[in-house]
Amino acid sequence: MAEGAEAAAEAIASLSTSDAPSKNALKKELKKKQKEEEKRKKEEENMKKKAAEAANPQSQKALAAADDEDMDPTQYYNNRLKVLSSSKEVGVNPYPHKFQVSMTIVEYVEKYGSLSDGEHLKEVEVSLAGRIMNKRASSLKLFFYDLHGSGAKVQVMADARDSDMDENEFSKYHAGVKRGDIVGITGYPGKSKRGELSIFPKKFIVLSPCLHMMPRQKAGPSVANASAKKNEERPTPYVWVPGMTRNPETYVLKDQETRYRQRYLDLMLNHEVRQIFRTRARIISYIRSFLDNLGFLEVETPMMNMIAGGAAAKPFVTHHNELNMKLYMRIAPELYLKELVVGGLDRVYEIGKQFRNEGIDLTHNPEFTTCEFYMAFADYNDLMAVTEQMLAGMVKELTGGYKIKYHANGVDKDPIEIDFTPPFRRIDMIEGLESMANLDIPKDLSSEAANKYLVDACAKFDVKCPPPQTTARLLDKLVGHFLEETCVNPTFIINHPEIMSPLAKWHRSKPGLTERFELFVNKHEVCNAYTELNDPVVQRERFAAQLKDRQSGDDEAMALDETFVTALEYGLPPTGGWGLGIDRLAMLFTDSQNIKEVLLFPAMKPQDEPSSKA
Amino acid sequence: MMDALRVWRASSHLIGFASMAAAAAVPTASRTRFRFHQIRCCSSAAAAPAAATPAPATSDRRRRSPSSTSDRESVRAIRLKKVEELRSKGYEPYAYKWDRSNTAKELQDAYDHLASGEECKEVSVSISGRVIARRAFGKLAFLTLRDDSGTIQLYCEKESLTDDLFEQLKTFVDIGDILGASGSIKKTEKGELSVYVKYFKILTKSLLPLPDKYHGLNDVDKRYRQRYVDMIANPEVADVFRIRAKIVSEIRKTMESLGFIEVETPVLQGAAGGAEARPFVTYHNSLGRDLYLRIATELHLKRMLVGGLEKVYEIGRIFRNEGISTRHNPEFTTIEMYEAYSDYESMMTMAEEIVTRCALAVHGKLNIDYQGTKISLQRPWRRQSMHNLVKEATGVDFNEFGDNVEAAKEVAQGILRTKMEDKSDTLLGTCPSVGHVLNEVFETIIESTLIQPTFVLDYPIEISPLAKPHRRYTGLTERFELFICGREIANAFSELTDPIDQRSRFEEQIKQHNAKRAALTAESKSTEVQSGVDDYAYEVALDEDFVTSLEYGMPPASGMGLGIDRLVMLLTNSASIRDVIAFPVLKIQQ
């Protein structure tokens, strides 16, 4: 600790001596700076007086408010820039190289949270660093701050009597500290008489000034309090955990454009946001260790391909200059992963980005993250068991139970409960559709008759299917209307027709169907898996059929990949293959209705104006 | 398909001329590349005894190395017929699943103690894998089965098999087929541990003959283009990918143990920043705009520091629209990490920590061999400033030039001329500062000599637009690069946190880029040489959003990027990046 303080002091000392200007110039600058400081101080004191007059015992809050809130943001920014350049002119680097932290704020709260009210540990020295999110001046000799870092908060009680600065210096320095500044503090731990854990600084250094006025919660002084008030059933201080509901409408920073474009502000001001991304990281890490424990090998396959295969979607196109080669961003890693199984890696998986050149909406981003795994000698029945085990296990680990709350109908309606208790419900696709909609679909789904029957069925139930009205698309719409709508708790829709599943193996006992399942949760597809088609002859026929759909205008039909079919000719063992949309899963566990909530930097439409300085 | 056939033909012409085949396939092959091939051949030969049963030399060899495309086609035709026949007999040649009780290695380990001729009648095991060798006699057949873990022999006796299975085996099973088999355990008289087969099932009928281990796979191009064929022929190829997974996993474990959180930042960006490289461009239809593939993750990860995530990292793919070589693939994997309240000193510790932990996970020791060179990863590693390294090697102290670029160039030319014939003029010609000249000399003279792990410290500010100025030395930054075996493995610095300084550095970078582009364009007009111009023909944009984020205040921090492919090359003794990337980008086949 002592070392840390020394290092910090040293850093500053060495900074002030490096490329030092002449003594005279330095003196001049100092004088100039002093004058400016005095002027500023006067102004501030005036403002404080005013505020003190205006308010009564609550003058603390009024002082803090007067500090920034009255100023125009541009003027505020320009003032800050001026302070920066004047400190640079006198050879003080406003951005020190290093501050040695002795513990995180989380650790500090853990270690000293149990002090009794009014207890001070003056002999202990601790160095903390973080961002000032609230400032209250009690007098020129006493300042209170909220210091935020690593997801926790601690009060700073800066008393001139504890400081290594003299009183004058102290008041001046602290008058220049703004909400939003990142500071390093070396001091001793203690609790205020009212029982608030605090740090009492001996040294207080601004490490990185915030040049902009920070957006502030109008309703109350602190974020945690505010959200606690709005969610009265929750204990205070409440900590959000996965599976709980969230309401971004109650956030300090509500504006979606700002939240998504300047995610750092979102993270600073809306404390749950950090937990969203922590949850996302935990989901991925859970999947990884789950698969590692089953003996799977994590691999990386190309994101740029000569042919975009393995799924039906519009790819992004790019160009390699030196090779003069057109490349597609991958839409799925499926074909490469199966090639590796052919090569003898019996259990492989990849967690990574896929890219689809499609519109942006509440559930779609042009790049998204999936996990795909391939398991030799297993079939889709095995994979359903694996899926249940993985997802139920994950929910249990993240939330402690099997049930999560989700605002399926918007944040203004009551949340629904989604139950991940295994086993999950199973619906046979065609049988289910027939019984649900009272249909009798012709058995030969590739026939004209079947197509006509489904066109009529769609018309009858007013299910829209924009052209091309291929049988696969018609079925997809009907299934969406009748079956997916019922899948709130995790449900497997199984045994898709061959025409909808060009890479899945024909069903061992039901002609025309495949051994495939999709897992739906809250009416959205989360997983897609099948017993892999490994007969190269049949695979080639399926690709040919896709080509036919392509020619009839379905540009989402799959393209033929010869290298892949050749791989099948060398022999792909019986294999179960599985894909999971990680963003969708993250949305469910974080009560997010918009995929942008779970992406740090979602794709945004271009703005007409440069990003707002919030 | 046609591609594959063509490659096959090319390789089959060269049977018996293994080394020539390698050389012919890669006309530009460097010496190291060539050496690498011999190593591969040796190792595959060395691995052969593991595939215990020697391949039945004459009869099978003929079938496995068809001398022309038509042979291959006839093999396929014959096997397609077998598929039909099997189906007509009620067998599905593409089975749905197989429950295996053990892997080959598990059995080899568990029953190693059996004496020759000893049998464990009471046990019942089931295994599955690819048939890689087959010998059939009157009433006895031996198959060698390979799975993910290793190989095991199948001992098939007519009497012990149910129904007409033995006949089926003789008629329908080919090398390359994937088989499931169950039975008891027996060590043969010759000491070969075997599954004494009671029942077997063809799980997947293969249609193509396996590549010939000793000849076919010297075709480098085919090895990379059809990696699965490479892996079937040379099982040790898969070991590289197993080690790769282990290394990445070890890195993750290290980061997590230190409290770092893994995040994902976008690949598609409005402007590609964080490094100096030509980006890939693509177009988003519904947004109606160009997007760039990221060339680094730096600028987005630093925004996370601003947001209050104090320790973040991302392991992910980076894309650079540049040439391919044994060290470069257009897409490659890096880890970038950022830690608040630390400086580049702590990143040196971090680099040592990561690399040594990975080496220990892979090799169990810190003294490793790379392409015949002994490398010691014992800590601490050498630390030396760039200036001192250059001074040591050339006797020139670049500090003495001050801002005098011309003087520096003149001296540098003298140094480089001996090393580079006449290319030095163009290299130095575009250098706008002494720092650039110094870097040019460093890269040409010093880099390749840094064999043992070396931290090169304190890079000139002109070539380090995102690094913080050095707290003691004007004109330098707190930056290091880590070199091992003459290759850059990592790049790190105390991060620049001053938004005003950052903006002017970006502006300077753009100015330099545009000047270079203009100079090269002018030059190419006069000399009609197009190469080089292209390298700078892209736009560099100032990332305003990033500068704004700095204005909100980024804590003092340090960050590091580490090339995972290069680390895997080092720890798997692989000469080319293509050996550690499962599907490398290759030139279009003619």
Side-chain angles (χ1 to χ4, degrees):
Chain A
M1 270 174 267
E3 216 175 279
E6 266 169 39
E10 241 176 56
I12 287 182
S14 64
L15 282 167
S16 47
T17 50
S18 66
D19 55 328
S22 75
K23 271 187 187 168
N24 274 342
L26 214 132
K27 265 187 193 165
K28 255 187 212 167
E29 286 308 329
L30 264 173
K31 264 188 189 168
K32 197 172 143 197
K33 202 194 163 201
Q34 271 170 7
K35 263 187 191 168
E36 273 172 19
E37 281 289 332
E38 271 164 33
K39 209 172 140 194
R40 217 159 51 88
K41 206 176 109 189
K42 263 184 198 165
E43 276 173 13
E44 269 172 23
E45 272 171 21
N46 280 340
M47 267 155 67
K48 275 172 201 160
K49 265 182 209 161
K50 260 190 231 162
E53 282 160 20
N56 37 29
Q58 289 228 325
S59 61
Q60 271 189 25
K61 256 178 223 166
L63 268 173
D67 206 8
D68 336 313
E69 221 83 325
D70 293 349
M71 218 180 273
D72 160 65
T74 318
Q75 194 195 342
Y76 182 96
Y77 174 65
N78 287 335
N79 280 356
R80 293 292 273 166
L81 282 181
K82 249 181 249 161
V83 174
L84 267 196
S85 64
S86 57
S87 87
K88 276 183 194 170
E89 275 165 33
V90 295
V92 174
N93 184 353
Y95 295 93
H97 281 71
K98 164 97 181 153
F99 179 81
Q100 189 70 45
V101 174
S102 67
M103 62 176 73
T104 66
I105 298 179
V106 175
E107 287 163 351
Y108 185 82
V109 172
E110 260 169 38
K111 188 160 184 188
Y112 299 110
S114 55
L115 293 183
S116 45
D117 296 358
E119 189 180 355
H120 293 181
L121 302 179
K122 289 205 175 187
E123 70 290 355
V124 177
E125 189 175 81
V126 179
S127 292
L128 300 180
R131 195 183 285 274
I132 298 290
M133 293 304 281
N134 209 4
K135 178 186 177 186
R136 306 179 295 280
S138 172
S139 72
L140 288 176
K141 297 182 189 68
L142 184 60
F143 293 81
F144 292 92
Y145 301 95
D146 285 344
L147 184 69
H148 287 234
S150 51
K153 180 190 96 169
V154 69
Q155 174 173 269
V156 180
M157 195 170 152
D159 190 322
R161 285 170 299 182
D162 291 320
S163 172
D164 58 356
M165 295 179 181
D166 67 43
E167 277 189 13
N168 229 349
E169 224 183 328
F170 177 88
S171 325
K172 240 187 283 170
Y173 195 85
H174 282 274
V177 176
K178 300 291 174 194
R179 208 162 61 87
D181 286 357
I182 289 172
V183 302
I185 290 166
T186 302
Y188 61 87
K191 253 190 188 164
S192 71
K193 287 191 188 98
R194 289 166 53 204
E196 177 139 21
L197 176 65
S198 310
I199 181 165
F200 299 85
K202 291 180 192 134
K203 290 189 167 67
F204 187 109
I205 308 158
V206 174
L207 302 174
S208 195
C210 177
L211 306 184
H212 296 282
M213 197 186 280
M214 285 284 252
R216 154 196 287 283
Q217 172 109 7
K218 297 288 192 295
S222 119
V223 183
N225 287 347
S227 52
K229 265 180 219 156
K230 291 212 169 126
N231 300 284
E232 272 155 18
E233 76 277 15
R234 286 172 176 158
T236 4
Y238 107 92
V239 181
W240 183 90
V241 293
M244 272 188 175
T245 55
R246 281 189 313 124
N247 186 357
E249 298 291 318
T250 63
Y251 284 179
V252 178
L253 179 65
K254 291 188 198 63
D255 178 56
Q256 285 200 345
E257 284 285 313
T258 313
R259 285 187 57 213
Y260 300 147
R261 278 183 205 278
Q262 291 174 280
R263 184 65 86 182
Y264 48 91
L265 288 178
D266 192 27
L267 281 163
M268 268 182 234
L269 294 159
N270 303 328
H271 292 226
E272 280 169 4
V273 173
R274 163 194 287 267
Q275 295 309 322
I276 296 176
F277 292 101
R278 196 162 284 279
T279 304
R280 188 185 166 104
R282 286 176 68 193
I283 290 170
I284 294 173
S285 150
Y286 182 90
I287 296 171
R288 234 181 220 117
S289 62
F290 181 90
L291 292 174
D292 288 346
N293 287 338
L294 288 176
F296 280 84
L297 189 73
E298 183 170 15
V299 296
E300 294 173 76
T301 65
M303 291 194 182
M304 297 194 299
N305 311 147
M306 305 271 281
I307 299 168
K314 274 198 199 100
F316 283 98
V317 191
T318 186
H319 185 260
H320 190 289
N321 285 50
E322 194 169 303
L323 298 178
N324 191 20
M325 185 158 75
K326 192 175 177 182
L327 290 167
Y328 298 93
M329 300 303 290
R330 71 173 174 199
I331 52 176
E334 174 155 355
L335 304 188
Y336 281 112
L337 291 173
K338 283 196 249 187
E339 287 178 26
L340 291 176
V341 179
V342 171
L345 299 177
D346 286 346
R347 293 182 178 188
V348 291
Y349 73 99
E350 178 165 16
I351 295 176
K353 292 274 178 72
Q354 316 305 331
F355 306 86
R356 298 191 181 174
N357 200 341
E358 290 162 0
I360 297 169
D361 62 28
L362 288 179
T363 52
H364 294 90
N365 194 63
E367 57 183 287
F368 55 101
T369 305
T370 65
C371 172
E372 286 200 11
F373 76 69
Y374 291 84
M375 188 174 185
F377 310 113
D379 63 11
Y380 81 139
N381 293 310
D382 298 324
L383 297 197
M384 277 190 263
V386 170
T387 309
E388 285 169 343
Q389 205 189 336
M390 181 196 279
L391 292 188
M394 185 189 297
V395 177
K396 181 101 188 184
E397 179 167 302
L398 290 177
T399 70
Y402 288 125
K403 293 172 183 169
I404 60 165
K405 290 245 195 309
Y406 188 81
H407 278 108
N409 307 305
V411 287
D412 47 342
K413 302 276 184 346
D414 282 342
I416 60 161
E417 194 173 71
I418 301 174
D419 186 353
F420 282 83
T421 310
F424 302 161
R425 184 163 74 117
R426 297 179 187 195
I427 308 178
D428 200 293
M429 181 188 269
I430 299 296
E431 279 171 26
L433 183 60
E434 287 183 328
S435 76
M436 204 80 95
N438 198 17
L439 295 174
D440 185 15
I441 304 166
K443 285 286 159 282
D444 182 3
L445 287 167
S446 58
S447 66
E448 275 301 314
N451 187 265
K452 183 152 187 319
Y453 185 89
L454 292 169
V455 170
D456 294 345
C458 279
K460 181 175 153 198
F461 295 112
D462 197 26
V463 173
K464 299 267 180 304
C465 179
Q469 295 191 324
T470 60
T471 305
R473 283 171 56 88
L474 290 162
L475 270 173
D476 188 53
K477 300 291 175 214
L478 286 166
V479 168
H481 182 81
F482 286 103
L483 300 185
E484 294 172 14
E485 279 301 305
T486 71
C487 303
V488 175
N489 286 335
T491 307
F492 294 115
I493 294 182
I494 64 171
N495 300 341
H496 300 52
E498 280 178 17
I499 48 164
M500 296 176 81
S501 316
L503 298 165
K505 194 159 182 166
W506 66 92
H507 198 284
R508 65 192 85 178
S509 59
K510 299 180 177 176
L513 304 184
T514 60
E515 296 200 344
R516 175 180 176 191
F517 69 81
E518 286 178 296
L519 178 72
F520 283 82
V521 185
N522 185 41
K523 305 173 189 177
H524 282 102
E525 179 201 339
V526 172
C527 293
N528 181 19
Y530 28 89
T531 308
E532 297 297 331
L533 176 55
N534 59 347
D535 181 335
V537 177
V538 177
Q539 181 67 78
R540 200 179 290 278
E541 286 165 9
R542 297 269 189 90
F543 276 132
Q546 287 285 307
L547 186 67
K548 222 176 74 189
D549 279 354
R550 219 168 229 257
Q551 283 157 349
S552 70
D554 186 355
D555 53 7
E556 293 196 344
M558 267 181 229
L560 168 70
D561 185 329
E562 274 297 346
T563 313
F564 170 66
V565 182
T566 306
L568 294 189
E569 290 181 337
Y570 279 100
L572 169 71
T575 298
W578 183 93
L580 166 97
I582 286 177
D583 311 280
R584 297 251 175 109
L585 206 57
M587 285 170 70
L588 283 170
F589 295 161
T590 59
D591 190 21
S592 303
Q593 287 75 47
N594 186 341
I595 193 171
K596 292 186 173 71
E597 289 285 321
V598 299
L599 300 169
L600 279 172
F601 300 95
M604 302 288 284
K605 297 193 174 89
Q607 273 177 322
D608 298 332
E609 289 162 39
S611 75
S612 68
K613 309 241 159 170
Chain B
M1 187 73 262
M2 288 313 291
D3 289 351
L5 291 180
R6 244 180 252 121
V7 175
W8 181 268
R9 198 181 307 139
S11 70
S12 56
H13 282 314
L14 291 165
I15 283 171
F17 302 95
S19 53
M20 274 180 64
V26 192
T28 55
S30 62
R31 278 190 57 227
T32 40
R33 189 69 175 294
F34 189 58
R35 192 169 64 215
F36 152 73
H37 274 286
Q38 292 176 325
I39 286 164
R40 272 275 177 258
C41 290
C42 292
S43 60
S44 88
T53 319
T58 47
S59 64
D60 267 310
R61 174 61 57 81
R62 207 184 312 126
R63 201 185 311 163
R64 284 168 61 204
S65 51
S67 56
S68 73
T69 310
S70 62
D71 270 14
R72 186 176 142 104
E73 283 306 316
S74 64
V75 167
R76 180 195 275 135
I78 291 165
R79 295 198 182 179
L80 277 171
K81 203 169 229 165
K82 289 183 181 175
V83 167
E84 261 173 54
E85 278 176 51
L86 279 165
R87 281 196 175 129
S88 71
K89 286 172 184 274
Y91 297 107
E92 175 51 57
Y94 298 97
Y96 282 80
K97 75 163 284 168
W98 180 260
D99 282 317
R100 71 169 162 192
S101 63
N102 296 90
T103 65
K105 184 165 186 304
E106 281 167 8
L107 294 181
Q108 297 281 14
D109 291 348
Y111 296 99
D112 188 45
H113 63 276
L114 293 190
S116 293
E118 198 180 340
E119 198 190 330
C120 291
K121 279 191 181 150
E122 72 289 357
V123 297
S124 167
V125 300
S126 89
I127 53 160
S128 50
R130 194 182 288 274
V131 178
I132 55 163
R134 175 184 185 276
R135 282 178 301 161
F137 307 100
K139 293 183 173 181
L140 196 60
F142 298 96
L143 304 180
T144 305
L145 208 63
R146 186 167 71 214
D147 67 13
D148 206 328
S149 69
T151 60
I152 193 158
Q153 176 166 275
L154 302 184
Y155 183 90
C156 310
E157 219 173 34
K158 188 171 181 180
E159 280 82 60
S160 319
L161 286 167
T162 46
D163 307 328
D164 61 342
L165 272 178
F166 193 75
E167 286 314 308
Q168 202 195 102
L169 188 144
K170 284 181 92 171
T171 325
F172 291 110
V173 174
D174 293 295
I175 288 173
D177 291 355
I178 290 160
L179 229 61
S182 56
S184 56
I185 292 285
K186 176 188 171 121
K187 205 169 229 176
T188 62
E189 298 300 336
K190 285 183 177 168
E192 185 65 35
L193 187 77
S194 312
V195 173
Y196 196 164
V197 179
K198 304 282 181 305
Y199 173 76
F200 79 86
K201 186 170 158 188
I202 296 176
L203 301 179
T204 300
K205 185 79 198 120
S206 71
L207 300 184
L208 293 176
L210 282 192
D212 188 303
K213 182 180 234 157
Y214 303 100
H215 303 293
L217 262 293
N218 286 310
D219 181 341
V220 189
D221 204 60
K222 181 177 175 127
R223 285 194 43 220
Y224 296 132
R225 238 175 255 284
Q226 288 178 276
R227 182 66 86 179
Y228 46 91
V229 181
D230 188 23
M231 287 164 64
I232 296 170
N234 305 308
E236 68 280 5
V237 168
D239 290 340
V240 171
F241 300 109
R242 291 193 183 95
I243 295 173
R244 184 179 175 119
K246 194 183 240 175
I247 289 169
V248 174
S249 162
E250 193 62 32
I251 294 176
R252 270 207 178 89
K253 262 190 248 162
T254 307
M255 300 313 289
E256 258 143 49
S257 72
L258 296 170
F260 281 74
I261 179 175
E262 184 168 15
V263 297
E264 294 172 83
T265 64
V267 169
L268 300 170
Q269 308 179 341
E276 204 154 343
R278 163 196 276 284
F280 283 98
V281 194
T282 186
Y283 183 79
H284 190 275
N285 297 338
S286 84
L287 288 183
R289 66 179 292 200
D290 280 345
L291 291 173
Y292 298 87
L293 305 198
R294 68 179 175 199
I295 53 173
T297 47
E298 176 152 359
L299 301 188
H300 284 89
L301 289 175
K302 283 187 186 170
R303 285 163 163 98
M304 296 297 91
L305 289 179
V306 175
L309 299 180
E310 291 169 2
K311 296 177 176 189
V312 287
Y313 75 101
E314 177 166 14
I315 293 178
R317 220 66 68 79
I318 303 295
F319 305 82
R320 297 192 180 170
N321 197 344
E322 289 163 0
I324 53 178
S325 76
T326 51
R327 280 181 299 151
H328 298 92
N329 195 58
E331 52 179 299
F332 55 99
T333 305
T334 66
I335 175 170
E336 280 196 27
M337 63 198 80
Y338 293 85
E339 185 184 18
Y341 311 115
S342 73
D343 59 11
Y344 79 144
E345 291 277 345
S346 41
M347 279 300 149
M348 280 186 246
T349 313
M350 184 73 103
E352 288 179 340
E353 192 69 27
I354 289 173
V355 175
T356 52
R357 280 202 202 189
C358 288
L360 288 172
V362 174
H363 294 290
K365 57 183 177 146
L366 293 177
N367 291 311
I368 60 169
D369 176 87
Y370 183 73
Q371 304 290 302
T373 307
K374 296 263 169 282
I375 306 293
S376 168
L377 299 173
Q378 298 289 349
R379 296 161 74 171
W381 297 343
R382 182 183 180 206
R383 300 177 183 197
Q384 191 52 272
S385 77
M386 185 189 247
H387 272 88
N388 284 345
L389 284 168
V390 169
K391 194 168 147 192
E392 228 170 61
T394 65
V396 179
D397 184 355
F398 272 76
N399 281 317
E400 284 165 11
F401 295 113
D403 287 339
N404 192 342
V405 190
E406 290 314 314
K409 275 186 192 174
E410 202 167 303
V411 174
Q413 238 152 43
I415 300 168
L416 295 183
R417 199 166 290 137
T418 49
K419 177 104 181 170
M420 312 252 326
E421 292 116 47
D422 49 20
K423 263 162 67 192
S424 59
D425 288 353
T426 36
L427 276 176
L428 292 170
T430 51
C431 283
S433 75
V434 176
H436 284 87
V437 177
L438 171 69
N439 187 48
E440 213 57 70
V441 173
F442 170 79
E443 284 182 2
T444 320
I445 307 281
I446 315 289
E447 262 190 27
S448 59
T449 69
L450 301 173
I451 304 300
Q452 300 302 323
T454 307
F455 291 113
V456 178
L457 311 184
D458 304 344
Y459 280 58
I461 201 161
E462 302 92 328
I463 58 164
S464 314
L466 295 159
K468 200 157 194 157
H470 201 285
R471 66 192 84 178
R472 283 189 296 275
Y473 308 115
T474 318
L476 301 185
T477 56
E478 297 199 346
R479 170 182 175 190
F480 74 79
E481 286 192 352
L482 168 64
F483 286 84
I484 306 176
C485 293
R487 281 178 201 148
E488 179 204 335
I489 300 279
N491 181 18
F493 22 94
S494 300
E495 300 298 337
L496 179 56
T497 47
D498 180 343
I500 320 260
D501 193 358
Q502 184 65 78
R503 182 182 297 278
S504 64
R505 301 259 205 111
F506 276 151
E507 282 163 357
E508 182 58 29
Q509 194 187 6
I510 292 166
K511 214 175 83 192
Q512 280 173 14
H513 176 84
N514 292 341
K516 216 163 198 173
R517 187 170 57 176
L520 284 165
T521 312
E523 195 179 311
S524 76
K525 268 182 193 145
S526 58
T527 59
E528 308 268 311
V529 179
Q530 197 56 44
S531 71
V533 183
D534 225 30
D535 292 343
Y536 292 91
Y538 58 94
E539 290 291 333
V540 177
L542 199 159
D543 189 338
E544 280 290 347
D545 286 341
F546 172 66
V547 178
T548 304
S549 78
L550 290 188
E551 288 177 348
Y552 278 96
M554 181 170 111
S558 63
M560 174 163 68
L562 188 144
I564 289 182
D565 307 280
R566 290 192 182 172
L567 181 60
V568 176
M569 283 169 72
L570 177 72
L571 297 180
T572 57
N573 194 13
S574 301
S576 169
I577 195 169
R578 283 170 211 148
D579 297 317
V580 302
I581 292 179
F583 302 94
V585 169
L586 301 164
K587 293 192 174 95
I588 297 173
Q589 282 177 311
Q590 291 312 303

